[in-house]
Amino acid sequence: MKLLLHACCGPCSLEPTRILRAAGHDLTIYYANSNIAPAEEYARRRDTLAAWAESEGLPVVEGPYAPDAWEGAAGRFGLCDGDPAAREQRCRACYRLRFEEAARVAAERGFDAVGTTLSVSPYQYTEAIREELERAAAGAGVAALFEDYRPYYEEATRRSRRLSMYRQNYCGCRFSAAEAAAERAERKRARAAEREAEAAAHAEERAAEEAARAAKRAERAAYAEKQARKRAALRALREQKRD
C-alpha cells in the first residue's frame, strides 16, 4: 500500500515506520504540525526527523506551517486547567486540522491511504486519534491505516536515545508546553515534599536513637556510680578493721 504517514517528530516515527515497512507498505512521511510552537521548536523537530529519514531512505514531505490556522482551530480552547475533557477537546481539534491536511495531500498525490505516528505516545488520546484519522480519510476519499503503536513506545524511546535524537519534553503547542512545565514543577514539589518528609522521619529516628543511647549511657553511668560507692564503702570497712 502506498501510504502517506503523518509524523509529529523523529522519535515517534521510529517504531511505526519499522512496523509499516516490515508489512510491505511504501512509505512517505508527511510533516504537518502547525501546532508546534515556537517556530524554532518546529524547525528543530522537522530537521531531526528529516536527518533520520534520509539515513533510512524515507522521503519526507513538509506541509505548510500555519500557526494562525491552528490557533483558530485548537488554540481557541486555551489552557485546560487540569480538565481532561477540555484538554481532549483541544487535542481532538488539533488532530482534526493536521489529519485533514494529510488526507487532502494523500488524495492529491495518489496515495492509497493515510496514517499517523501520533498513536505511539501513551500521553495522547488514542481513540480520538483513530476517529479523527478515519473521518479525515473518508472525507478525502482515501483509506485510513490506523494502528495503536503504544506497546512500542518504550522501544522507540530506547532507540531514539541510542541514536542521540533530540527528544522534546512537551507535545508541541504552547498550551502543552505550559501544562508540561506545570506538571514538572508539581512533580518537583512533590519530590521535595517527599524528601522533606523522609528527612523529618529520619531526624525523628535519629533523635529517638540518640535518646535511647543517652538513656543507656545514663544507666551505665548510674550503675558505675553505684558500683563506685560500693567499692568506697568496702574500702572504708577494710580501713576500719585495720584500725
Side-chain angles (χ1 to χ4, degrees), residues 149-161:
Y149 299 112
R150 284 177 297 176
Y152 307 99
Y153 176 75
E154 290 185 2
E155 179 59 23
T157 300
R158 285 192 291 269
R159 287 183 61 195
S160 65
R161 286 175 175 160

Side-chain angles (χ1 to χ4, degrees), residues 174-197:
R174 59 190 178 92
F175 301 116
S176 70
E179 289 161 357
E183 290 170 3
R184 288 193 296 273
E186 180 56 36
R187 288 195 296 271
K188 185 177 180 180
R189 285 193 294 269
R191 288 194 296 269
E194 185 178 351
R195 287 194 296 270
E196 288 177 3

Side-chain angles (χ1 to χ4, degrees), residues 122-214:
Y123 305 106
Q124 299 287 345
Y125 296 97
T126 309
E127 188 59 22
I129 290 171
R130 182 189 64 77
E131 291 171 357
E132 292 302 327
L133 182 69
E134 292 176 351
R135 190 197 63 78
V142 294
L145 184 58
F146 171 82
E147 186 167 343
D148 183 354
Y149 299 112
R150 284 177 297 176
Y152 307 99
Y153 176 75
E154 290 185 2
E155 179 59 23
T157 300
R158 285 192 291 269
R159 287 183 61 195
S160 65
R161 286 175 175 160
R162 286 199 302 268
L163 293 168
S164 299
M165 270 184 167
Y166 166 62
R167 292 183 54 80
Q168 57 277 359
N169 60 6
Y170 66 101
C171 175
C173 75
R174 59 190 178 92
F175 301 116
S176 70
E179 289 161 357
E183 290 170 3
R184 288 193 296 273
E186 180 56 36
R187 288 195 296 271
K188 185 177 180 180
R189 285 193 294 269
R191 288 194 296 269
E194 185 178 351
R195 287 194 296 270
E196 288 177 3
E198 289 176 354
H202 291 158
E204 290 179 2
E205 290 175 3
R206 288 193 296 271
E209 291 170 357
E210 182 55 35
R213 286 193 293 270

Side-chain angles (χ1 to χ4, degrees), residues 19-47:
I19 292 164
L20 292 167
R21 291 175 102 181
H25 298 299
D26 179 11
L27 301 183
T28 294
I29 294 175
Y30 189 56
Y31 186 75
N33 300 293
S34 295
N35 60 307
I36 300 175
E40 293 79 9
E41 176 71 16
Y42 169 89
R44 188 174 186 184
R45 297 190 194 193
R46 177 201 62 202
D47 294 348

Side-chain angles (χ1 to χ4, degrees), residues 42-62:
Y42 169 89
R44 188 174 186 184
R45 297 190 194 193
R46 177 201 62 202
D47 294 348
T48 299
L49 171 64
W52 166 78
E54 183 179 8
S55 72
E56 292 287 317
L58 284 167
V60 176
V61 174
E62 183 179 5

